[in-house]
């Protein structure tokens, strides 16, 4: 054996160290750059927590008050930072409590690694105490999952998990670790995963599809762009902006695509979807070319598929081949990473402005402003509206805050009226529509970006689903700002009951507690406002306060969110009242 080979083998041996499986878990997390994890301890994961105790200076563990809160906090962390969020829990109910957040992350393409403890290998399948088949349960809502029964599997599985979670179209991964694997010792060595056989996360972009797309766009008379979160996930914001500015194409966004381009950009024409803006929804069925970038034609965007953009040539830029032609038949599919695809497209595009086409958007915006927006932002009635609360927040944050919204009427208002200057500023539950998302997600977002103002916008219904996370805020002192828009109703359901069920408000009126008193019970500064004259000062006090703050705003009980496309209707059937 030559000297060089001996040196190489010695180097390999020097990297290995004999440690327990539980310590290996911590070292894997450190190797992947993890600095914060969210979780809740229990018997089956206790060995890992024991090792975590020894690494407190390297990894900050945040004790949430419920495992669902841990997954949502990890989502908020991931959404604002672009990094992988990590959540950890014990077996049985601890593991099943993660499922809602995992399902939310799956449909919204959020990179998570969730770690669960499990009973010992010899007890698997015996219905042991707190044994649940979490791998079977989570299979439909994870990008990948794996059960570890031997300590020696830990490094390879963790490396794969982080690679899969953040590569291509991101998503959640679950690792289930039996208790014996946590105790076993083995020779630890960690190598990051850079490829997996048969797994191709980013399809190669075909130059021919770029050429076809460019030709169609250059010849279009009334083109329209709809972008989604794929632009943000692919870090393609500047490329999208360059394409829009070169072509002069009016461009709209899905809820999860919000903030990729500043709200104030002159070619940003607003939000599409059930409660989106009037012009981009209506003109979807009048454009001659529809360019979809990093969006999946969700039913809340398309309405009735039989009538959606039938007159248009459809160009779809997409990283996930499974999304192409799934809902809407495309004429040109450009597979690949959005950043690369748009970079390839840009030099082939002709400069244009489309002034007459833009005038149609301006004319329809004027109609929406007069019938909806003016009343939302500058109401004539005495009661406060959700829209004017968002207007005041915009004014005092100058569009620089990250807005974390829950699910319901307030979510639609927050997405419609928030002003965003920076990408990754709109954090909400999109595809799953998870009430209770915002409070824990705001905790994670603020921890990931402590320099940014993070404001949670929540309804009185969703707030009470994860209200226990006020305890997490109290313990960590994370300075998140919480605004509850209280209309004493499950507002979105009530709106549907009013419009489509003859005002039969079945089980939607809320009898609420003293929210301010509860916040103060957690030693969080709080106040309630119900009058217009109080609003500006209350928002200012919240923003200026050095620490967490809770603001309850009592808004009109039966205000509705318009425009609105009735469920299953065409985007052309959008209502203004």
């Amino acid at each position: 054996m030559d000297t060089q080979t001996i040196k190489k083998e010695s180097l390999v041996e020097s990297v290995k160290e004999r440690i327990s499986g539980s310590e290996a878990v911590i070292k894997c997390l450190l190797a992947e750059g993890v600095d914060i994890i969210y979780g809740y301890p229990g018997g089956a994961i206790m060995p890992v927590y024991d090792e975590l105790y020894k690494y407190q200076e390297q990894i900050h563990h945040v004790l949430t008050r419920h495992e669902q809160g841990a997954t949502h906090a990890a989502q908020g962390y991931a959404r604002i930072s672009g990094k992988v969020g990590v959540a950890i829990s014990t077996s049985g109910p601890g593991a099943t409590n993660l499922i809602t957040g995992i399902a939310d992350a799956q449909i919204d393409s959020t990179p998570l690694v969730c770690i669960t403890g499990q009973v010992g290998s010899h007890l698997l399948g015996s219905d042991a105490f707190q044994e649940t088949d979490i791998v079977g349960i989570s299979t439909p809502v994870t990008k990948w999952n794996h059960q570890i029964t031997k300590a020696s599997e830990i490094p390879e599985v963790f490396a794969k998990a982080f690679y899969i979670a953040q590569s291509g179209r991101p998503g959640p991964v679950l690792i289930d670790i039996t208790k014996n694997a946590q105790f076993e010792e083995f020779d630890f060595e960690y190598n990051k995963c850079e490829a997996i056989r048969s797994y191709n996360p980013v399809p190669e972009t075909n130059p021919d599809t770029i050429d076809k797309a460019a030709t169609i766009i250059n010849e279009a008379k009334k083109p329209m762009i709809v972008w989604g979160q794929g632009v943000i996930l692919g870090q393609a914001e500047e490329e999208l902006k360059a394409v829009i500015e070169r072509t002069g194409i009016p461009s709209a966004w899905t809820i999860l695509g919000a903030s990729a381009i500043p709200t104030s950009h002159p070619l940003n024409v607003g939000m599409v979807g059930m409660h989106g803006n009037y012009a981009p929804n209506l003109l979807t069925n009048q454009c001659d070319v529809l360019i979809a970038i990093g969006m999946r034609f969700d039913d809340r965007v398309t309405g009735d598929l039989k009538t959606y953009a039938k007159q248009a040539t459809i160009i779809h830029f997409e990283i996930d081949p499974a999304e192409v032609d799934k809902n809407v038949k495309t004429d040109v599919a450009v597979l690949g990473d959005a950043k690369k695809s748009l970079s390839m497209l840009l030099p082939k595009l002709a400069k244009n402005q489309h002034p007459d086409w833009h005038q149609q958007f301006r004319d329809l915006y004027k109609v929406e402003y007069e019938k909806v927006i003016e009343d939302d932002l500058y109401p004539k009635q005495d009661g406060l509206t959700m829209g004017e609360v968002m207007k005041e927040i915009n004014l005092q944050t100058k569009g620089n805050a990250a807005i974390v919204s829950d699910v319901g009427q307030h979510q639609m208002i927050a997405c419609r009226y928030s002003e965003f200057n920076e990408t990754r500023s709109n954090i909400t539950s999109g595809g799953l529509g998870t009430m209770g998302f915002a409070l824990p997600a705001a905790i994670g977002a603020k921890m990931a970006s402590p320099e940014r103002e993070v404001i949670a916008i929540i309804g009185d219904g969703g707030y009470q689903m994860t209200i226990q996370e006020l305890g997490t805020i109290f313990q960590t002192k994370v300075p998140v700002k919480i605004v509850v828009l209280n209309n004493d109703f499950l507002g979105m359901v009530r709106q549907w009951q009013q419009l489509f069920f003859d005002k039969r408000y079945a089980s939607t009126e809320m009898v609420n507690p003293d929210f301010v008193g509860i916040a103060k019970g957690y030693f969080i500064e709080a106040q309630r406002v119900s009058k217009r004259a109080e609003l500006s000062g209350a928002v200012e006090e919240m923003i200026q306060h050095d620490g967490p703050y809770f603001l309850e705003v009592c808004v009109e009980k039966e205000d509705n969110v318009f425009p609105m496309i009735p469920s299953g209707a065409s985007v052309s059937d959008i209502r203004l009242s």
Side-chain angles (χ1 to χ4, degrees):
M1 186 180 292
D2 59 39
T3 305
Q4 189 174 3
T5 303
I6 293 172
K7 284 183 178 179
K8 189 179 291 185
E9 288 191 353
S10 299
L11 181 62
V12 171
E13 288 297 323
S14 68
V15 174
K16 291 182 179 179
E17 53 182 326
R18 193 158 189 85
I19 60 175
S20 68
S22 53
E23 187 174 5
V25 169
I26 308 304
K27 287 186 174 290
C28 290
L29 295 175
L30 288 171
E32 292 292 343
V34 175
D35 55 357
I36 298 177
I37 63 176
Y38 301 89
Y40 206 96
I45 198 67
M46 205 175 296
V48 171
Y49 269 86
D50 187 54
E51 289 298 333
L52 191 58
Y53 183 81
K54 305 171 188 176
Y55 286 86
Q56 293 179 68
E57 293 185 5
Q58 290 104 310
I59 297 181
H60 176 45
H61 176 270
V62 178
L63 175 64
T64 58
R65 295 308 187 260
H66 191 283
E67 292 87 354
Q68 181 180 343
T71 51
H72 292 328
Q75 285 179 277
Y77 176 95
R79 291 274 288 275
I80 202 169
S81 69
K83 300 177 183 178
V84 177
V86 179
I88 183 169
S89 78
T90 193
S91 63
T96 58
N97 282 344
L98 297 177
I99 291 297
T100 296
I102 292 172
D104 194 284
Q106 172 79 339
I107 200 164
D108 281 354
S109 304
T110 304
L112 294 187
V113 169
C114 296
I115 304 162
T116 56
Q118 185 55 276
V119 301
S121 297
H122 67 290
L123 292 173
L124 290 173
S126 70
D127 292 332
F129 177 68
Q130 291 192 334
E131 182 199 357
T132 299
D133 179 12
I134 195 61
V135 170
I137 291 170
S138 65
T139 294
V141 293
T142 49
K143 191 175 177 186
W144 183 66
N145 63 17
H146 188 89
Q147 185 176 78
I148 294 174
T149 58
K150 295 179 180 179
S152 58
E153 301 175 69
I154 289 172
E156 182 181 0
V157 171
F158 268 76
K160 282 184 177 180
F162 276 87
Y163 174 67
I164 291 169
Q166 61 193 318
S167 59
R169 180 181 180 178
V173 169
L174 182 135
I175 306 170
D176 191 43
I177 314 174
T178 60
K179 200 165 185 178
N180 60 287
Q182 297 172 50
F183 280 120
E184 285 174 4
E185 291 191 348
F186 73 109
D187 293 330
F188 175 80
E189 181 183 12
Y190 195 78
N191 297 298
K192 282 197 172 187
C193 181
E194 296 179 351
I196 298 173
R197 189 176 65 180
S198 78
Y199 171 54
N200 180 28
V202 183
E204 191 63 34
T205 303
N206 184 341
D208 290 343
T209 62
I210 295 289
D211 291 339
K212 291 177 183 177
T215 299
I216 293 168
I217 293 169
N218 289 338
E219 294 175 355
K221 303 301 180 186
K222 297 193 293 184
M224 177 177 163
I225 287 173
V226 177
W227 84 79
Q229 189 187 203
V231 170
I232 296 170
L233 295 174
Q235 300 178 37
E237 295 93 340
E238 289 304 315
E239 288 75 14
L240 173 64
K241 184 180 175 185
V243 166
I244 290 171
E245 291 178 347
R246 185 176 186 86
T247 60
I249 297 176
S251 302
W253 37 272
T254 68
I255 284 177
L256 295 186
S259 81
I261 300 295
T263 310
S264 59
H265 195 286
L267 296 175
N268 183 337
V269 296
M271 182 171 81
V272 292
M274 181 171 281
H275 291 285
N277 293 103
Y278 192 51
N281 272 310
L282 204 60
L283 295 180
T284 295
N285 280 357
Q286 296 182 33
C287 66
D288 61 354
V289 175
L290 181 62
I291 306 124
I293 305 173
M295 56 87 79
R296 58 187 181 85
F297 292 110
D298 175 74
D299 64 293
R300 288 293 170 109
V301 167
T302 64
D304 181 12
L305 285 169
K306 295 177 182 177
T307 62
Y308 183 78
K310 291 302 179 182
Q311 79 295 335
T313 300
I314 308 289
I315 301 171
H316 194 180
F317 288 79
E318 177 58 51
I319 197 170
D320 185 355
E323 293 295 346
V324 174
D325 294 335
K326 186 175 82 174
N327 294 327
V328 173
K329 178 67 178 174
T330 59
D331 295 280
V332 178
V334 183
L335 291 174
D337 172 75
K339 190 178 187 73
K340 180 180 178 181
S341 298
L342 294 179
S343 296
M344 292 170 66
L345 178 70
L346 183 62
K348 300 178 182 294
L349 296 174
K351 291 184 179 180
N352 214 326
Q353 292 183 325
H354 303 289
D356 294 340
W357 179 226
H358 274 286
Q359 188 60 48
Q360 292 187 50
F361 282 86
R362 286 191 290 269
D363 290 344
L364 290 172
Y365 174 80
K366 184 178 179 182
V367 173
E368 182 183 353
Y369 185 87
E370 292 174 351
K371 293 191 175 183
V372 176
I373 297 173
E374 187 173 25
D375 288 339
D376 280 347
L377 303 184
Y378 304 97
K380 298 178 179 63
Q381 73 266 28
D382 292 335
L384 288 165
T385 66
M386 292 179 282
E388 65 182 315
V389 178
M390 294 312 305
K391 176 169 64 74
E392 189 63 40
I393 290 171
N394 288 333
L395 183 67
Q396 299 204 29
T397 61
K398 298 179 173 60
N400 294 320
I403 302 297
V404 185
S405 57
D406 211 76
V407 172
Q409 287 180 315
H410 64 279
Q411 176 191 34
M412 297 297 105
I413 291 292
C415 291
R416 281 175 53 80
Y417 293 122
S418 291
E419 294 177 3
F420 298 121
N421 299 328
E422 185 178 343
T423 190
R424 294 186 179 272
S425 293
N426 184 54
I427 300 168
T428 193
S429 173
L432 197 64
T434 305
M435 293 176 68
F437 170 88
L439 184 59
I443 293 171
K446 183 63 177 179
M447 288 181 169
S449 296
E451 75 287 352
R452 298 198 65 185
E453 190 71 76
V454 176
I455 302 175
I457 307 295
I458 317 176
D460 49 310
Y463 181 57
Q464 293 178 82
M465 288 192 171
T466 50
I467 195 171
Q468 71 277 353
E469 299 308 330
L470 290 176
T472 306
I473 294 172
F474 169 53
Q475 184 166 346
T476 61
K477 302 296 186 288
V478 59
V480 67
K481 308 299 167 67
I482 307 155
V483 179
V484 166
L485 302 179
N486 184 4
N487 58 10
D488 293 312
F489 267 110
L490 298 177
M492 186 61 82
V493 184
R494 185 213 55 77
Q495 177 169 332
W496 281 54
Q497 289 172 334
Q498 177 185 336
L499 297 176
F500 307 115
F501 292 88
D502 297 326
K503 295 189 177 182
R504 292 187 295 275
Y505 296 155
S507 303
T508 49
E509 188 165 8
M510 302 286 289
V511 178
N512 287 317
D514 178 0
F515 289 131
V516 169
I518 291 171
K520 289 185 175 180
Y522 284 100
F523 301 95
I524 295 169
E525 287 294 319
Q527 70 169 306
R528 176 189 298 109
V529 300
S530 58
K531 297 179 181 178
R532 188 161 290 116
E534 303 169 328
L535 181 61
S536 179
V539 172
E540 182 179 12
E541 182 176 333
M542 176 184 73
I543 299 297
Q544 296 301 321
H545 182 71
D546 184 18
Y549 196 98
F550 173 82
L551 175 62
E552 177 186 1
V553 183
C554 300
V555 297
E556 286 285 288
K557 291 187 70 168
E558 295 189 68
D559 266 0
N560 290 329
V561 181
F562 289 104
M564 178 182 184
I565 302 169
S567 180
S570 168
V571 292
S572 299
D573 296 329
I574 186 168
R575 297 172 52 170
L576 292 173
S577 62

